[in-house]
Amino acid sequence: MQSLSTDITDSKAAKKGSSAPLKVVTHDQFCMEKVPDPCGIVIFGASGDLTHRKLLPGLYHLFKAKLLPKDFFILGFARSPLTDTTFREEILAKLKTKGETDSPVQKEFLNHIYYRSGQYNDPGAFRTLDGILKEFGEKHGTKGKLLFHIATPPDVYQDVISGLKHAEIIKRTKETDVIIEKPFGHDFDSAVQLNRSLHEALNEKQIYRIDHYLGKETVQNIMMFRFANSIFEPLWNRAHIDHIQITAAETLGVEHRAGYYEKSGNLRDMFQNHMFQLLALIAMEPPLLFDEHHYREEKVKVAKSIRPIPAGKIHDFVVRGQHGRGKWNGREVPAYRQEEGVDPKSQTETFVAMKLFIDNWRWEGVPFYLRSGKRLGHQATEIAVQFKQVPHSMFPFLHSDQFSPNVLTFRIQPDEGISLCFEAKHPGPKFCMATLGLEFNYKDVFHEPSMDAYERLLLDAMQGDPTLFVRQDMIDLSWEFVTSILKEWEKSQPAKFPNYEAGSWGPPEAHQLIEKDGRKWEIL
Ligand code: NDP
């Protein structure tokens, strides 16, 4: 087995004083990306933010890295009356803001890009589109293979699916696959309805429900870390783990997304998808194989094992908040209700904290504390696995609860990495103790930038691999849980919002949620 060995002499670990440089042995035979077969990519909502900020720059990076097939085209579709030329100019301008300079590669990439406008609910527009796709397919030699990315606002998804179906552009074969953006529905019933519409036109294997968290290197690394090492798995259970915390904290407010966020709120926006995916990855059993069936099956088993919140007990398990004014980074920031497009009496939550249990042999009795919000103290998405305290102290003067517990932290973003903290002898008096950290930081160890989550997922979808996409049953289960909370909230009094200051770590009740169990949040 050939492997590439690199001595990393300037890593942070080395600088911090480890005597030997951190050695990275890359099994390079597994690092080869497969170039997908010829393919036409059609993006709906192509005049929008996601297309400009993520999808087209992502496709360009794949092109530059020679990871797009030689024969491909990209067709943008939306209502705005753009031409191929204006669309291409917009892309160029966007690439420039991302530090990409003019080059022959850019010119070549743009030669594969087109734009057509039309209404999403106009059957005639889809009949025209059918003809155009056939023409481009012949011109670019894509052999009829098409990948559709529906990146419109969610209330347009069904129109697009129906238009594609009735114009017979999508068929029940792997020749026409569909990526569908989040949010996938706004509650359990709407998600079931959306799934039904998709299944009227497509087989499940053709549907790629995106949750871009799953495309992040750091999130994929949770699998590698847990199941490519043998030392952690024996400890990964209720015998050794005290509890697990998952935090997704943003410092930003609603920005330009008030229209969407007012109807969504934090629970729908973060928990139904990203937070539940992180929970599933940290709690799942080892899949038999890392493939679309076994990996997704194990995640679904976790979702099925989440203990329902007892009726009438929601306040013991879930806290919601909305931020008021405050200071962040020395600057005054407005309350959520003062943001443009937000109702001055809005009841939308910008923060949620919850305590969950997973009822299975591995996790019985281990609490999972999840927390996500806007305008919090600093930006961090992290999973902290806190191990149990030592059972007994053999050191005179030191009680067992004076030892800091070992905490293994997966830093998903920013400052991607992993740390493990442990107790050690501090030089000096015999019983002097210190808490130290072992650090792995992506940037310092791997000098190349990580592939963006959207690039990873677009490439996988082109290769026909849905492993990192979300299966229907996972969507149903997560919405079922989230909808049960939404219904309880509807029954209760309007929340007393705002209840936390911008720049703080959420409402006092979020601290009480964990402190009443004798624990505290890892990030404060
Ligand atoms: P935009 O609001 O920018 O909308 C995309 C395009 O859809 C617009 O350019 C517009 O094109 C069309 N559109 C807007 N409103 C309507 C409407 N009421 N009826 C019909 N068409 C409309 O959205 P984004 O690009 O930000 O997001 C697209 C999808 O991706 C959404 O589902 C979003 O939730 C999801 N998403 C976005 C992320 C992001 O960072 N932006 C991140 C994760 C998911 P035109 O008027 O030309 O038809």
Side-chain angles (χ1 to χ4, degrees):
M1 194 184 285
Q2 226 190 6
S3 62
L4 176 72
S5 169
T6 322
D7 282 348
I8 307 287
T9 46
D10 61 345
S11 77
K12 200 184 244 179
K15 278 186 202 153
K16 274 187 176 169
S18 61
S19 49
L22 183 61
K23 191 162 210 167
V24 179
V25 181
T26 303
H27 305 294
D28 59 345
Q29 72 274 34
F30 305 125
C31 294
M32 300 292 288
E33 291 282 6
K34 195 173 135 248
V35 177
D37 291 336
C39 172
I41 300 161
V42 185
I43 302 174
F44 292 96
S47 57
D49 175 67
L50 183 71
T51 306
H52 283 73
R53 230 165 26 82
K54 288 285 177 187
L55 305 185
L56 286 163
L59 287 164
Y60 175 63
H61 290 147
L62 292 175
F63 180 75
K64 225 166 72 165
K66 300 195 182 345
L67 289 173
L68 287 190
K70 195 167 64 57
D71 300 315
F72 79 99
F73 68 88
I74 299 168
L75 173 69
F77 183 101
R79 299 170 308 175
S80 303
L82 304 176
T83 61
D84 289 346
T85 311
T86 49
F87 189 52
R88 289 173 187 179
E89 279 166 6
E90 284 184 6
I91 298 165
L92 269 186
K94 195 70 201 177
L95 290 178
K96 206 163 268 170
T97 65
K98 291 190 170 259
E100 299 284 352
T101 44
D102 283 352
S103 70
V105 184
Q106 268 186 12
K107 275 205 186 100
E108 207 186 324
F109 177 67
L110 292 182
N111 285 339
H112 293 257
I113 297 189
Y114 306 91
Y115 179 91
R116 292 293 179 272
S117 62
Q119 298 294 325
Y120 302 108
N121 59 0
D122 172 14
F126 284 87
R127 281 194 298 275
T128 309
L129 183 64
D130 186 34
I132 294 164
L133 292 175
K134 284 179 179 137
E135 180 195 325
F136 289 165
E138 289 208 355
K139 181 174 169 190
H140 289 278
T142 52
K143 302 183 181 145
K145 169 78 187 156
L146 291 167
L147 176 66
F148 298 90
H149 194 131
I150 308 183
T152 60
D155 41 8
V156 183
Y157 294 167
Q158 305 234 14
D159 283 343
V160 175
I161 296 157
S162 154
L164 288 170
K165 176 176 179 268
H166 288 113
E168 296 184 16
I169 299 175
I170 47 176
K171 303 186 184 80
R172 289 186 184 278
T173 73
K174 286 293 286 172
E175 290 306 289
T176 54
D177 288 351
V178 175
I179 301 177
I180 192 145
E181 267 304 328
K182 84 156 238 230
F184 194 94
H186 62 270
D187 59 11
F188 178 73
D189 291 342
S190 57
V192 168
Q193 177 53 43
L194 182 54
N195 270 320
R196 200 173 291 143
S197 305
L198 283 164
H199 286 138
E200 277 168 16
L202 302 159
N203 297 326
E204 177 63 22
K205 273 184 172 289
Q206 296 173 263
I207 306 168
Y208 296 72
R209 298 174 194 83
I210 213 161
D211 180 333
H212 68 272
Y213 265 49
L214 294 177
K216 289 179 187 289
E217 287 284 359
T218 44
V219 173
Q220 293 171 61
N221 186 46
I222 298 170
M223 288 291 91
M224 237 1 134
F225 186 91
R226 285 192 59 197
F227 303 128
N229 295 295
S230 63
I231 59 172
F232 303 105
E233 187 50 22
L235 306 176
W236 215 259
N237 56 52
R238 66 196 164 93
H240 300 283
I241 291 178
D242 179 74
H243 73 278
I244 293 182
Q245 298 183 19
I246 306 179
T247 296
E250 290 178 81
T251 51
L252 292 177
V254 71
E255 307 301 301
H256 58 278
R257 293 172 75 217
Y260 158 74
Y261 201 81
E262 272 285 88
K263 286 188 247 153
S264 156
N266 184 281
L267 186 66
R268 288 182 171 98
D269 189 44
M270 291 299 294
F271 277 77
Q272 179 273 324
N273 36 62
H274 310 321
M275 299 296 274
F276 270 49
Q277 290 297 330
L278 296 180
L279 174 71
L281 292 174
I282 210 74
M284 74 201 273
E285 296 301 314
L288 193 62
L289 267 180
F290 184 70
D291 69 5
E292 64 181 274
H293 171 68
H294 296 91
Y295 167 75
R296 300 198 294 179
E297 188 64 23
E298 291 302 339
K299 287 199 298 176
V300 164
K301 285 188 198 160
V302 174
K304 281 183 182 163
S305 313
I306 296 175
R307 188 184 300 169
I309 293 175
K313 294 269 183 201
I314 183 132
H315 300 298
D316 294 340
F317 292 90
V318 186
V319 172
R320 59 180 154 157
Q322 187 194 78
H323 74 81
R325 314 162 39 162
K327 268 200 170 160
W328 184 76
N329 223 2
R331 153 176 91 84
E332 286 282 341
V333 290
Y336 175 70
R337 288 177 175 181
Q338 295 169 320
E339 299 271 16
E340 200 183 325
V342 173
D343 179 350
K345 291 188 178 150
S346 174
Q347 282 291 310
T348 301
E349 79 287 354
T350 58
F351 175 96
V352 175
M354 69 172 73
K355 176 165 82 166
L356 295 177
F357 288 95
I358 295 175
D359 285 335
N360 62 21
W361 273 56
R362 187 188 284 266
W363 296 117
E364 193 56 39
V366 178
F368 288 75
Y369 299 96
L370 278 62
R371 173 177 68 149
S372 166
K374 288 196 176 295
R375 291 267 190 238
L376 297 183
H378 63 256
Q379 194 203 346
T381 301
E382 293 192 5
I383 304 175
V385 179
Q386 186 165 320
F387 291 88
K388 291 194 167 173
Q389 297 268 10
V390 292
H392 162 74
S393 170
M394 56 173 260
F395 304 102
F397 320 118
L398 284 171
H399 195 261
S400 58
D401 61 15
Q402 286 175 301
F403 294 73
S404 297
N406 301 117
V407 182
L408 177 67
T409 305
F410 295 86
R411 293 192 307 273
I412 307 295
Q413 65 183 20
D415 186 26
E416 292 88 349
I418 296 177
S419 61
L420 174 67
C421 72
F422 58 93
E423 301 293 64
K425 171 81 177 73
H426 192 292
K430 257 194 307 198
F431 296 116
C432 194
M433 185 170 67
T435 304
L436 305 181
L438 279 177
E439 278 286 336
F440 151 63
N441 193 306
Y442 269 84
K443 273 202 296 289
D444 295 333
V445 175
F446 301 109
H447 296 285
E448 66 223 77
S450 301
M451 188 185 259
D452 178 77
Y454 268 99
E455 287 170 40
R456 166 80 276 148
L457 295 172
L458 284 164
L459 190 59
D460 281 6
M462 279 185 265
Q463 288 165 343
D465 179 2
T467 307
L468 298 180
F469 293 81
V470 188
R471 218 167 63 178
Q472 175 195 347
D473 42 3
M474 185 74 183
I475 296 265
D476 289 350
L477 287 160
S478 53
W479 269 126
E480 197 177 346
F481 188 83
V482 161
T483 305
S484 72
I485 297 173
L486 291 168
K487 285 191 173 154
E488 287 291 315
W489 282 351
E490 273 167 26
K491 281 191 238 158
S492 48
Q493 297 284 320
K496 290 193 178 110
F497 286 159
N499 60 354
Y500 72 97
E501 225 177 84
S504 73
W505 281 98
E509 293 83 354
H511 299 278
Q512 287 152 17
L513 181 80
I514 189 165
E515 283 165 9
K516 71 183 179 207
D517 297 341
R519 302 180 174 102
K520 62 180 179 52
W521 291 109
E522 278 295 319
I523 317 174
L524 284 176

